[in-house]
Amino acid sequence: MNEQQPANTADDPISSFLESVQDLRGEDKTVRSTAHSSRVAAEGWTRAEQNTGPDTAA
Amino acid sequence: MTTVQSTAPVDFHFGPIPVMHQTRVDRIRALTPTRPDMPGADPGLDVPLAYAAAHHYLEGAEPAARAGDIDLFDWYQANLDAGTGRLCASTAVGPCAVITPNELITSPISDTPFYLLGPFTDPAAAPERALARAAYKKAADTGFADLVTHHARILVFLGRKEYHDRFDSWTISRLPGTVFLDHIDDPAALARDLIHEAGHNWLNDALTATNTLLPGDAHFPSPWKNTNRPAYGFLHACWAFPLTMIYTANILDQDSELSAAGRDFLTRYLDLQRRFLAPTADTHPQALTLIPDPDLRERLRHVHAQALVL
């Protein structure tokens, strides 16, 4: 897709959109994922969990 | 291995979540002013599907705007549901977008790769759609209709696996309602991971809807990852694994159509999950004290207790 420099004027749709996104996100910058790996091999369960960062869940 | 019996259904209706879903959909759609020359949001999408789709729009439109990619930004502005409607398969829990992407994206918004619905996204082929349809039905038939209806309406298939392989699955908090799943041609096995990841989405939504902030310095020993984990990860594990245990017990008890290999796979899974869950009987109550909302706290306690006696 075409790439152009975004305009800086507040009434430009892109700038307005980005300002609104910032308001929507507020202070919530948290990004969390819940990566989970499992393996049930013939000999039984293998602990094959994948750790993808301090905030990951099961 | 021991025999299993079905357990009482879990109540997944938690009042603050649907309120948050509607509010969030409205706020995301309001990012783009209504224009008569643009179709805007698809009125045919129910709120849970619109909620999942709106986050693809948000996460797709924002980087397009920041990069000055006018064509892509305009596409998202004209497709506030990121084209979800044309990607859907009809399932037991309503239309669900089913995708088999050729490649995934990496970016700072996630620790794991992910995929965003966009102008070039195609629906999955017929076999994958049929597999997804069958998995949603398995989930619905075993007491998880409400969970997957509200928390797993966009399914992104990852790799194709065999029973002895490692299965990866994940969700990311920026794309609630979307699940990323490895898969095997066995809807009962797929439904297990569908429910697990939908459970993560449920808990993320519940924590958000109740403004619950978990302390980062409280850690608990996790048998699943064999390490001390922050309360967030520990509570997620003690919720999502019990859900898959309950599902597995139910389907082993109720589904006479399981293949021998599929039955063996799920029986081994349940047997081993019992061993992982058992040590958390002492530590889970301590972690629950970090949940201020009494209703949410009780739901997490109840499901954990249900799984402990399976």
Side-chain angles (χ1 to χ4, degrees):
Chain A
M1 297 237 173
N2 297 335
E3 295 209 354
Q4 300 173 10
Q5 289 299 317
N8 291 321
T9 54
D11 55 353
D12 154 62
I14 285 187
S15 299
S16 299
F17 173 81
L18 289 174
E19 284 177 16
S20 300
V21 168
Q22 194 167 355
D23 290 342
L24 176 69
R25 294 203 190 282
E27 296 302 312
D28 181 16
K29 306 296 184 200
T30 306
V31 176
R32 284 169 158 163
S33 58
T34 59
H36 158 242
S37 299
S38 67
R39 182 167 181 252
V40 183
E43 66 274 19
W45 176 272
T46 300
R47 209 188 290 263
E49 300 291 349
Q50 148 183 319
N51 193 354
T52 58
D55 279 342
T56 58
Chain B
M1 294 182 198
T2 55
T3 56
V4 293
Q5 290 187 325
S6 296
T7 187
V10 177
D11 176 11
F12 291 103
H13 179 75
F14 183 52
I17 290 179
V19 173
M20 185 194 70
H21 280 186
Q22 184 66 67
T23 302
R24 186 80 178 166
V25 169
D26 293 343
R27 287 201 66 190
I28 292 174
R29 286 179 173 176
L31 291 171
T32 299
T34 305
R35 283 171 43 181
D37 59 327
M38 289 193 171
D42 183 345
L45 303 191
D46 57 279
V47 173
L49 181 55
Y51 175 71
H55 286 83
H56 281 261
Y57 155 76
L58 174 60
E59 298 303 335
E62 183 183 5
R66 294 198 185 284
D69 188 335
I70 301 298
D71 289 348
L72 185 58
F73 178 71
D74 283 349
W75 185 86
Y76 279 109
Q77 297 291 90
N79 294 273
L80 302 185
D81 301 304
T84 297
R86 67 187 174 78
L87 305 170
C88 283
S90 175
T91 80
V93 301
C96 295
V98 183
I99 313 299
T100 51
N102 291 325
E103 57 184 347
L104 300 176
I105 303 165
T106 56
S107 101
I109 77 159
S110 173
D111 295 322
T112 51
F114 63 98
Y115 182 80
L116 290 172
L117 305 186
F120 305 114
T121 304
D122 291 320
E128 281 75 23
R129 291 161 70 89
L131 175 62
R133 194 177 291 118
Y136 279 105
K137 185 166 190 324
K138 297 284 187 195
D141 288 349
T142 49
F144 294 87
D146 201 30
L147 176 68
V148 296
T149 297
H150 293 88
H151 300 281
R153 296 290 292 280
I154 298 178
L155 194 172
V156 180
F157 277 126
L158 300 171
R160 188 156 192 108
K161 299 296 176 73
E162 300 298 331
Y163 285 119
H164 59 269
D165 288 332
R166 193 183 85 172
F167 285 71
D168 292 323
S169 63
W170 59 79
T171 60
I172 65 174
S173 55
R174 285 287 181 88
L175 294 175
T178 296
V179 295
F180 297 83
L181 308 176
D182 276 343
H183 62 292
I184 186 171
D185 189 20
D186 177 349
L190 178 62
R192 177 198 66 168
D193 295 340
L194 180 66
I195 288 165
H196 183 97
E197 297 305 332
H200 284 311
N201 280 334
W202 185 97
L203 183 51
N204 279 336
D205 279 352
L207 293 172
T208 301
T210 55
N211 298 310
T212 300
L213 295 175
L214 294 168
D217 57 353
H219 289 72
F220 300 88
S222 169
W224 294 278
K225 299 201 177 184
N226 202 25
T227 185
N228 277 335
R229 306 203 58 213
Y232 172 81
F234 180 75
L235 286 165
H236 260 280
C238 288
W239 164 254
F241 282 114
L243 291 179
T244 53
M245 292 173 69
I246 292 167
Y247 161 75
T248 306
N250 287 355
I251 201 153
L252 287 171
D253 185 41
Q254 298 169 14
D255 194 334
S256 59
E257 297 176 352
L258 291 178
S259 67
R263 180 169 290 277
D264 180 64
F265 174 81
L266 292 170
T267 301
R268 286 177 183 276
Y269 174 80
L270 178 58
D271 196 41
L272 292 156
Q273 285 302 323
R274 288 188 182 108
R275 292 184 228 164
F276 281 114
L277 191 67
T280 66
D282 295 332
T283 48
H284 191 240
Q286 299 166 34
L288 285 179
T289 64
L290 302 173
I291 303 287
D293 186 280
D295 189 1
L296 176 56
R297 186 169 62 242
E298 172 55 21
R299 286 162 185 270
L300 300 184
R301 187 205 64 77
H302 183 70
V303 162
H304 185 266
Q306 266 188 281
L308 274 175
V309 297
L310 286 173

